[in-house]
Amino acid sequence: MAKLIGWIARAPGLWGVLSNENKGPQSPWGGGKGGNDGGDAGKGGGSGGGDDAGGGPRNPWAFPPEGKRGGRGSVTSLDDFLKRARKGGGGSGGGFPGGVPGKPVIFGGIAIVLLLWIAFTSFHVIAPEQRGVVAFFGKYSSTLEPGVRFTLPAPIASVKKINVQQIRTENFPATSGENLMLTQDQNIVDLAYSVRWDIANPEDYVFQIAKPEQTVRATAESAMRAAVAGVTLNDAIGPGRTVVEARVQQATQAILDEYNSGIRIQGVSIRGAAAPGAVDEAFKQVTAAQQESEGARNQARAYAQQIIALAQGEAAQFDKIYEQYKAAPDVTRRRLYYETMEAVLAKSNKTIVETNGVTPYLPLPAARGGTTQPSVQQGQQAQQGQPQGGAQ
């Protein structure tokens, strides 16, 4: 804009130079000697290119009368134009056609730029979930708490805002595919898991490690492979998952603490564990057979426990009877005999033979649901004088 204004200011001078082309001395093609010379040159303008005899404006592309181009004393109209342009620029710069602004304007612009720079690099708004790590000439200086904080301007001091409440997650594998690992029993398992972590120490997180995410991934993967190598395949895909997760979390945290990384592992979770796809069908069959064998063993254990419990009960009962027998042998012996005979005869048919003059027996079998016919016949035979018999 300043250059445009300068050129507009120089426009009257340019117009004056162009309007004096036919006035002899102001001719752009040389310093003519008078108005008549210019008129004479106009009459013979097309023929010779102007010489000393004609006195009119000479051809600018022809050699001067002295045989040289531009002698020392000759001043072209271009020089005159430049001089007038410098004088009519209107600026205080002197040597530039458009001029330059004055010193107060320059100093004012510089001051405004400095104020804006200080405002944008010295005042910092720290959110509640953030912490500001201040570096003084690249070296750790302090940590800013949430709020509006002030520091020295850049590049003296720089502030890096760190979110200390965000839970970051690293998934393994990062893309779809297999993540094969070797178990203790020389089997291969395809394992998918995730690691959750956050920032516990912002200054260590910024200054101690260069690539935090890559460091967490490499450390967690190393710890997981070491943990899986210490368990069997059944433990890795079955009930041993929780043990593996705890081991990986502890090992990863220990390594990161040695690095002074400022990172805290929140947890490790195994999202999937299975055999590789190439042997998955055979592995399923093996798993089904193992489950069947385990079920058969469980049934055998249950039956054995039942038999053992029954035997232990009988042994305890015998011990009680033996104590009673030691206290009263005759009574205990007779009672055991009666109880044994009662248990034997209770499930069989019985025949009672009575002698003469004895009151007829009660129909005990009939009372117990049996038949009375054999007893009646035997009673009749006894009345007819058959030999005396005993109970069978």
Side-chain angles (χ1 to χ4, degrees):
M1 182 61 71
K3 292 182 179 181
L4 180 59
I5 295 174
W7 282 106
I8 294 174
R10 289 194 298 271
L14 179 61
W15 176 257
V17 172
L18 296 177
S19 62
N20 292 331
E21 287 181 353
N22 297 325
K23 293 183 180 180
Q26 291 79 16
S27 174
W29 312 124
K33 298 180 180 179
N36 295 329
D37 296 338
D40 296 338
K43 295 178 181 179
S47 60
D51 51 9
D52 293 337
R58 58 185 176 83
N59 190 344
W61 313 117
F63 289 99
E66 295 81 1
K68 298 180 180 180
R69 288 178 179 242
R72 293 182 179 179
S74 63
V75 179
T76 61
S77 60
L78 180 59
D79 295 335
D80 189 21
F81 169 72
L82 293 176
K83 291 179 181 180
R84 293 186 180 184
R86 292 189 187 100
K87 293 179 180 180
S92 60
F96 298 95
V100 295
K103 292 182 178 180
V105 177
I106 296 176
F107 290 153
I110 294 175
I112 293 175
V113 172
L114 289 177
L115 289 175
L116 292 176
W117 178 257
I118 292 174
F120 280 103
T121 59
S122 298
F123 292 93
H124 309 277
V125 179
I126 309 298
E129 70 278 4
Q130 294 178 340
R131 298 295 183 273
V133 180
V134 182
F136 185 76
F137 286 114
K139 185 178 180 181
Y140 171 73
S141 175
S142 61
T143 301
L144 301 180
E145 296 296 327
V148 179
R149 305 300 175 184
F150 173 79
T151 62
L152 295 176
I156 300 175
S158 61
V159 177
K160 186 173 183 180
K161 299 178 182 179
I162 303 298
N163 192 334
V164 297
Q165 296 183 4
Q166 179 183 1
I167 303 298
R168 299 162 177 82
T169 303
E170 301 294 334
N171 294 319
F172 300 85
T175 58
S176 59
E178 293 183 338
N179 187 25
L180 303 180
M181 296 185 183
L182 187 65
T183 61
Q184 184 181 13
D185 52 356
Q186 304 300 320
N187 286 316
I188 297 178
V189 59
D190 184 10
L191 202 64
Y193 60 98
S194 61
V195 178
R196 302 181 304 277
W197 60 279
D198 64 350
I199 300 173
N201 194 325
E203 51 269 22
D204 288 343
Y205 177 80
V206 174
F207 288 97
Q208 294 296 331
I209 52 178
K211 298 178 180 179
E213 291 80 6
Q214 296 182 8
T215 302
V216 172
R217 291 189 65 86
T219 306
E221 186 173 5
S222 176
M224 178 59 75
R225 291 187 180 276
V228 172
V231 298
T232 62
L233 179 61
N234 293 332
D235 292 335
I237 65 177
R241 286 189 180 185
T242 56
V243 177
V244 173
E245 293 172 351
R247 290 179 180 177
V248 172
Q249 182 176 356
Q250 294 176 358
T252 306
Q253 186 66 64
I255 297 174
L256 293 175
D257 291 342
E258 292 180 1
Y259 295 160
N260 294 326
S261 62
I263 295 175
R264 177 174 51 217
I265 301 299
Q266 294 290 342
V268 178
S269 60
I270 297 177
R271 295 182 286 108
V279 295
D280 186 54
E281 187 63 29
F283 182 79
K284 290 180 179 178
Q285 295 178 1
V286 173
T287 303
Q290 291 177 349
Q291 291 177 353
E292 291 179 358
S293 63
E294 187 66 23
R297 283 195 294 267
N298 292 335
Q299 292 179 358
R301 293 191 189 100
Y303 178 75
Q305 291 177 358
Q306 182 179 2
I307 297 301
I308 291 172
L310 180 61
Q312 291 176 350
E314 292 179 353
Q317 184 178 6
F318 179 81
D319 292 338
K320 293 181 179 179
I321 295 174
Y322 179 70
E323 292 177 358
Q324 296 176 2
Y325 179 80
K326 289 191 300 181
D330 295 336
V331 176
T332 304
R333 187 184 301 110
R334 187 178 296 276
R335 181 173 66 83
L336 290 175
Y337 174 76
Y338 289 157
E339 291 178 354
T340 303
M341 294 301 296
E342 180 180 5
V344 171
L345 296 178
K347 299 179 180 179
S348 61
N349 294 327
K350 296 172 288 297
T351 301
I352 299 175
V353 179
E354 297 179 353
T355 59
N356 295 328
V358 178
T359 305
Y361 73 98
L362 296 174
L364 296 178
R368 293 179 179 270
T371 178
T372 59
Q373 184 175 359
S375 299
V376 172
Q377 293 177 357
Q378 294 295 334
Q380 293 176 357
Q381 292 176 0
Q383 292 178 359
Q384 293 175 2
Q386 292 183 354
Q388 183 177 356
Q392 296 181 355

